Amino acid sequence: MEFRRKDRPFVIAGPCSAETREQVLETAEGLKTLNVDLLRAGVWKPRTRPGNFEGVGEEGIEWLKEAGAKIGKPIAVEVANTLHVELALKGGVDVLWIGARTTVNPFMVQEIANALKGTDVPVLVKNPVNPDVELWIGAVERLQSVGLTKLGAIHRGFSTFQKSPFRNSPNWNIPIELKRRMPELPIICDPSHICGNRELLSEVAQKAIDLNMDGLMLETHRDPIKAWSDADQQVTPQELERILSELVWRNPNSADLEVKAKLEQLRATIDGLDRDILDLLVERLSVSRSIGEYKREHNITILQHQRWNEILHDREAHVQGKDLSLKFLHKFLEAIHEESIQQQTQVMNSSKAKSA
């Protein structure tokens, strides 16, 4: 199975959990005429604490298989251990996905990979719970190492203690880095788990498409309010149809030669500006090292809190009214400040080494 399409995003939809046969069949029937490529449902649900609904188990695969056959769609379930793999393959599941709580455990991912060795089943890998691109890449590599080739990734956001409108912070820089490091790997965005509520789904889905993600996974339920798990983030098939119809599907490139020429011209301007910025940064850090040498000679500490506050306030005032957000400005200045401290520390340490 290819997780990429040329005409539109690859779409995975279906309930968070298979609850009853009737619920799975009715939800699937609502998806029959939509641009849905893969029918999903969880039959094993990892829960933080015992006592919550943990899925119907193997029986749910039978319902999902029946529903998929009825509407002509392949089916997918999440697997978290080797027994799940065995039962899913036995039940004729077309696509497996590895959840975030499993991806975070290399030992479990390796066991699943070993259980899949010799098969050609497509597998999607959700990002780990924590924002760690190396762990995400490592999980994909473990599957590749046993010969699996039909692989994709699912970006479902990352846990955070910070106050946020999202259930899981999107941290878009991490899937972007994954795309840079593994450009042939399709990436599906899961707005349902990023948002945690249905009101934000359209916004996040559109951003994923604008960032050239290959598809979307959206949880869909016949009656979301009565869902046994993740009720707030699921939508009806009718609402899913609206979300998909409102998406602006953008192409990564244009065949128009005039458009290409204009883009190349603008990009050349950016390339030149970037080089100018880098040259100025090199010059600035050279001055920082000179300051470090002067501080060393006069026995002055590296960090000057008052000076750092003065820099922040002065630069904020400088960009006031300009198209530069304070959030970006602070990140930019903090990165420069951190490097300046690092280089001044090297100056201090080099003088100790020489005196020794």
Side-chain angles (χ1 to χ4, degrees):
M1 172 175 287
E2 290 287 337
F3 298 116
R4 285 193 175 106
R5 295 182 60 101
K6 293 182 179 179
D7 56 331
R8 60 171 176 79
F10 186 93
V11 177
I12 305 170
C16 173
S17 304
E19 301 163 358
T20 66
R21 176 176 176 273
E22 291 73 23
Q23 170 249 1
V24 172
L25 289 172
E26 187 175 333
T27 301
E29 187 62 32
L31 300 173
K32 184 176 182 178
T33 60
L34 304 189
N35 287 326
V36 172
D37 301 285
L38 187 59
L39 177 64
R40 60 143 287 158
V43 299
W44 299 287
K45 302 298 296 180
R47 293 323 214 181
T48 301
R49 300 180 65 180
N52 294 317
F53 174 61
E54 296 183 333
V56 297
E58 186 178 5
E59 186 179 16
I61 296 177
E62 298 176 11
W63 306 337
L64 194 58
K65 189 71 177 176
E66 181 182 354
K70 189 174 181 180
I71 66 171
K73 310 282 186 186
I75 63 171
V77 301
E78 177 179 341
V79 293
N81 56 45
T82 55
L83 177 60
H84 293 170
V85 171
E86 178 185 338
L87 294 175
L89 295 181
K90 175 186 172 185
V93 174
D94 301 292
V95 176
L96 309 179
W97 84 81
I98 297 175
R101 298 184 186 215
T102 305
T103 305
V104 79
N105 185 339
F107 294 109
M108 191 57 69
V109 174
Q110 189 62 57
E111 288 184 11
I112 291 173
N114 293 341
L116 290 170
K117 187 175 182 179
T119 73
D120 63 350
V121 63
V123 181
L124 293 163
V125 182
K126 285 199 172 186
N127 62 253
V129 174
N130 50 308
D132 187 340
V133 71
E134 298 297 335
L135 202 54
W136 199 1
I137 290 173
V140 174
E141 290 175 336
R142 290 178 187 278
L143 295 167
Q144 289 175 330
S145 70
V146 299
L148 295 178
T149 58
K150 300 173 184 176
L151 300 175
I154 300 176
H155 167 228
R156 49 82 76 192
F158 305 87
S159 293
T160 177
F161 291 109
Q162 296 177 346
K163 188 176 181 180
S164 168
F166 302 110
R167 175 182 177 182
N168 292 294
S169 175
N171 285 35
W172 295 104
N173 59 302
I174 294 180
I176 288 172
E177 176 62 11
L178 177 66
K179 175 73 78 172
R180 186 188 72 82
R181 301 265 296 272
M182 306 184 87
E184 300 306 315
L185 185 74
I187 301 181
I188 309 295
C189 181
D190 177 356
S192 302
H193 279 87
I194 290 174
C195 298
N197 68 80
R198 59 185 65 88
E199 286 75 21
L200 296 174
L201 290 177
S202 293
E203 174 188 337
V204 171
Q206 184 62 62
K207 181 157 186 178
I209 297 307
D210 291 345
L211 291 175
N212 201 24
M213 299 296 170
D214 297 289
L216 302 168
M217 176 185 273
L218 291 157
E219 292 186 341
T220 318
H221 193 288
R222 65 174 180 178
D223 189 357
I225 295 175
K226 296 180 181 179
W228 296 2
S229 59
D230 291 345
D232 291 341
Q233 68 192 39
Q234 299 191 67
V235 294
T236 63
Q238 294 75 24
E239 185 65 10
L240 175 66
E241 183 177 22
R242 181 194 65 79
I243 292 172
L244 295 177
S245 68
E246 292 178 355
L247 280 176
V248 179
W249 178 230
R250 309 186 196 277
N251 296 313
N253 296 297
S254 173
D256 189 313
L257 295 179
E258 186 176 343
V259 171
K260 284 185 174 182
K262 182 62 176 178
L263 276 175
E264 288 304 313
Q265 179 184 352
L266 293 171
R267 286 167 176 166
T269 301
I270 281 184
D271 291 344
L273 290 171
D274 282 350
R275 295 186 188 99
D276 291 342
I277 291 170
L278 291 173
D279 288 341
L280 287 171
L281 281 174
V282 170
E283 184 177 346
R284 189 193 191 283
L285 291 171
S286 176
V287 175
S288 290
R289 287 194 297 274
S290 297
I291 291 174
E293 292 170 357
Y294 193 76
K295 288 177 179 177
R296 179 195 65 205
E297 293 169 5
H298 293 83
N299 202 29
I300 299 173
T301 60
I302 293 174
L303 183 59
Q304 304 287 314
H305 292 286
Q306 183 178 351
R307 169 60 179 162
W308 174 229
N309 284 328
E310 289 173 357
I311 289 175
L312 288 175
H313 294 152
D314 177 78
R315 294 354 174 224
E316 287 174 3
H318 184 73
V319 302
Q320 189 173 5
K322 299 177 182 178
D323 291 331
L324 192 68
S325 72
L326 290 181
K327 182 178 180 181
F328 170 77
L329 176 67
H330 287 171
K331 285 183 177 180
F332 179 70
L333 292 175
E334 285 165 6
I336 294 174
H337 190 234
E338 183 179 344
E339 181 64 18
S340 294
I341 289 175
Q342 177 64 26
Q343 296 217 14
Q344 288 188 24
T345 300
Q346 290 175 357
V347 170
M348 295 287 193
N349 290 338
S350 65
S351 67
K352 289 181 181 178
K354 289 177 182 178
S355 62

